[in-house]
Amino acid sequence: MVRRDSGSDDRTPGAFGAPSRRRVLRLAGGGLALAALTAGTVGCDEDSVDVEDPGGIGGDEPKGGGKGSGDGGDVGEKGQAPKPLWTKPTSAETYGDNDELVAAGGVVIASGSPLAALDAATGGQKWSLPGGAVPGAPLLLSEDTLYLASSDYDGSVIGYAPASGKETWRSRLGKEYRQPRPIAVDEEQVYVIAEILEEDGSSRTNVIAALNSTTGRVAWKEQRDVGTEQNGIHAAVRGRHLVYTDFKKNLTVRDTASGGQVWTHKTTRTSYGFFTVHQDLVIVPQGNVLQAFHLADGKEKWSLEASDGALFREPAALEDVLYVADSARTMWAVDPQTGKQLWKSEALADAGLQVPRQYVKAGDTLYGATDLDKQGGIVAIDARTGAVRWTFNDKSGDYHAWLVATDGKRVFALHGKKLHALPV
């Protein structure tokens, strides 16, 4: 029998330890949002000067890789990172999640208040929204629309054209729901989670719903079990399947047409909800095992075990290859449909680099963003071999996680309140 979303909180020995402070803040977005409004923000400086050669920005020479090749960008001698095309200050308010930096429509946008869209080529400001992004809510991007939770906290979800910032779509669940947050989008629907209000204004339950991306009308809504949370949600859509994880370590799949639950697994050893989806599979790190489940029925198709008790970190399926690193700083490339190892690299460990937690790909280069600053930053990796080409670090010492995005022509690296554009 398939289990429902569960409110229980398993504490299995051997599970990952507590997430970092910034990760907790990011995932606990709902409770953080109102408090963040009073904290004050730093606006985007439209008149800032481009930085052509920031001091020390190239980082140390990686020990695990030589001079870059192929599509690795304008790489300097001895594996040094390329010089930024531009560097700009931003109003970024990020908590280290992958959906807080997006590139589309010729602009790059970092979550913050005001929400500013910078020209991808020059770094100049194209438009801004005074209310900005709701802290903890994602920048949810479809092919031609950026979906945001309303910063007015009026129960609305709003769609904007990325290139111009103009509102193109708006929807509301209803007055009986509070703080709807978009979590996923496909060609027809926007999926949201919201608190269900009680008569006294409190909330003990939440609802997951689908909004028609043309009309804004509610296509369906389903109440989740008591004890589940609307925070810490990571979601993706493939065909008829909406898959998501939450703070209570549930991995749940619903039918996108009806909202009905297809299956739920308890994932007591996930790296706090991160997974990737490829075709008909959802791939989840669970401690030292990487598992792939069929979206249709939840049955395991394959599993891969890390060596020497290492724990798998956040995976990414890009262009039909699954990339994942483990806590021993070993990098893996895997066939996402079979689990077959394509290559395995020790270059991160050899170079003394931190493990990436987010990846994008441009050409033959994989760009990974790490958590820690001193031995982290943006790591350029040969996608064919796993060799480290170069690392980029702004030497700021800022405690924020790095975030990375690409438009295929440039790689955008966000660190704290600095946004860098790198050539690919």
Side-chain angles (χ1 to χ4, degrees):
M1 178 178 294
V2 174
R3 295 196 300 271
R4 294 166 59 90
D5 280 355
S6 173
S8 62
D9 189 5
D10 292 353
R11 299 292 180 186
T12 303
F16 280 89
S20 64
R21 175 178 176 272
R22 58 183 172 272
R23 183 66 50 80
V24 170
L25 289 175
R26 169 59 181 88
L27 295 180
L32 176 69
L34 293 177
L37 290 176
T38 63
T41 59
V42 178
C44 180
D45 184 1
E46 186 175 0
D47 298 323
S48 60
V49 178
D50 288 356
V51 178
E52 294 183 357
D53 189 11
I57 212 162
D60 298 330
E61 176 186 347
K63 301 174 185 177
K67 185 175 180 179
S69 59
D71 297 319
D74 184 18
V75 182
E77 293 296 325
K78 298 182 181 179
Q80 294 296 301
K83 295 179 180 180
L85 301 170
W86 52 259
T87 294
K88 295 285 184 177
T90 74
S91 58
E93 295 172 344
T94 64
Y95 301 94
D97 212 356
N98 299 353
D99 50 22
E100 296 173 323
L101 179 69
V102 297
V107 300
V108 56
I109 307 168
S111 182
S113 181
L115 187 70
L118 304 185
D119 186 286
T122 67
Q125 182 172 296
K126 296 290 292 287
W127 56 263
S128 69
L129 298 176
V134 172
L139 304 179
L140 186 62
L141 192 65
S142 71
E143 185 176 346
D144 57 4
T145 306
L146 174 69
Y147 294 96
L148 301 175
S150 172
S151 59
D152 292 331
Y153 295 93
D154 60 0
S156 298
V157 178
I158 309 171
Y160 299 90
S164 66
K166 293 181 179 178
E167 181 178 325
T168 59
W169 181 90
R170 181 181 288 254
S171 180
R172 288 192 67 183
L173 269 181
K175 294 182 178 180
E176 64 271 35
Y177 304 102
R178 180 171 59 192
Q179 291 187 294
R181 293 165 179 269
I183 59 170
V185 61
D186 59 20
E187 293 82 1
E188 298 180 358
Q189 297 177 150
V190 182
Y191 304 91
V192 302
I193 282 185
E195 300 174 2
I196 300 174
L197 289 175
E198 305 291 338
E199 292 184 0
D200 62 359
S202 65
S203 177
R204 292 184 291 274
T205 54
N206 61 90
V207 66
I208 186 167
L211 309 173
N212 186 286
S213 58
T214 300
T215 66
R217 294 175 181 172
V218 178
W220 53 259
K221 54 188 175 183
E222 293 286 333
Q223 181 173 331
R224 300 175 70 215
D225 286 351
V226 174
T228 57
E229 298 182 8
Q230 67 274 11
N231 301 320
I233 300 291
H234 296 271
V237 188
R238 284 295 184 275
R240 287 285 297 269
H241 300 105
L242 169 66
V243 55
Y244 58 94
T245 56
D246 60 22
F247 253 161
K248 295 297 184 180
K249 302 178 183 176
N250 300 305
L251 174 65
T252 303
V253 174
R254 290 184 180 271
D255 187 293
T256 58
S258 67
Q261 187 165 286
V262 180
W263 55 267
T264 293
H265 286 337
K266 204 65 179 179
T267 56
T268 56
R269 304 180 71 184
T270 62
S271 55
Y272 289 88
F274 292 97
F275 63 88
T276 191
V277 175
H278 184 267
Q279 296 181 13
D280 60 344
L281 299 177
V282 54
I283 304 165
V284 187
Q286 302 217 67
N288 68 335
V289 176
L290 194 66
Q291 289 180 288
F293 301 101
H294 282 284
L295 288 173
D297 55 18
K299 294 181 180 178
E300 181 182 296
K301 182 174 181 181
W302 59 260
S303 65
L304 181 67
E305 186 172 345
S307 57
D308 301 325
L311 307 179
F312 280 112
R313 304 294 294 273
E314 296 89 340
L318 302 171
E319 298 180 2
D320 294 326
V321 177
L322 174 69
Y323 300 99
V324 65
D326 63 34
S327 59
R329 292 184 289 185
T330 299
M331 188 79 193
W332 306 64
V334 176
D335 184 329
Q337 285 299 300
T338 65
K340 180 182 178 181
Q341 177 183 311
L342 303 177
W343 53 254
K344 187 175 176 181
S345 171
E346 307 291 338
L348 291 174
D350 292 343
L353 299 175
Q354 296 294 335
V355 173
R357 44 162 300 279
Q358 181 197 6
Y359 303 91
V360 298
K361 190 172 182 287
D364 290 326
T365 303
L366 188 67
Y367 300 89
T370 74
D371 266 336
L372 300 179
D373 178 67
K374 187 175 181 180
Q375 294 298 325
I378 303 300
V379 183
I381 300 167
D382 190 319
R384 298 163 296 187
T385 65
V388 173
R389 288 178 166 169
W390 48 259
T391 60
F392 173 86
N393 195 305
D394 59 13
K395 304 293 186 181
S396 68
D398 192 292
Y399 70 90
H400 283 86
W402 286 80
L403 295 177
V404 64
T406 185
D407 61 2
K409 300 177 182 178
R410 293 157 286 263
V411 170
F412 304 100
L414 178 66
H415 189 215
K417 293 185 178 296
K418 285 186 177 181
L419 180 61
H420 312 276
L422 305 174
V424 299

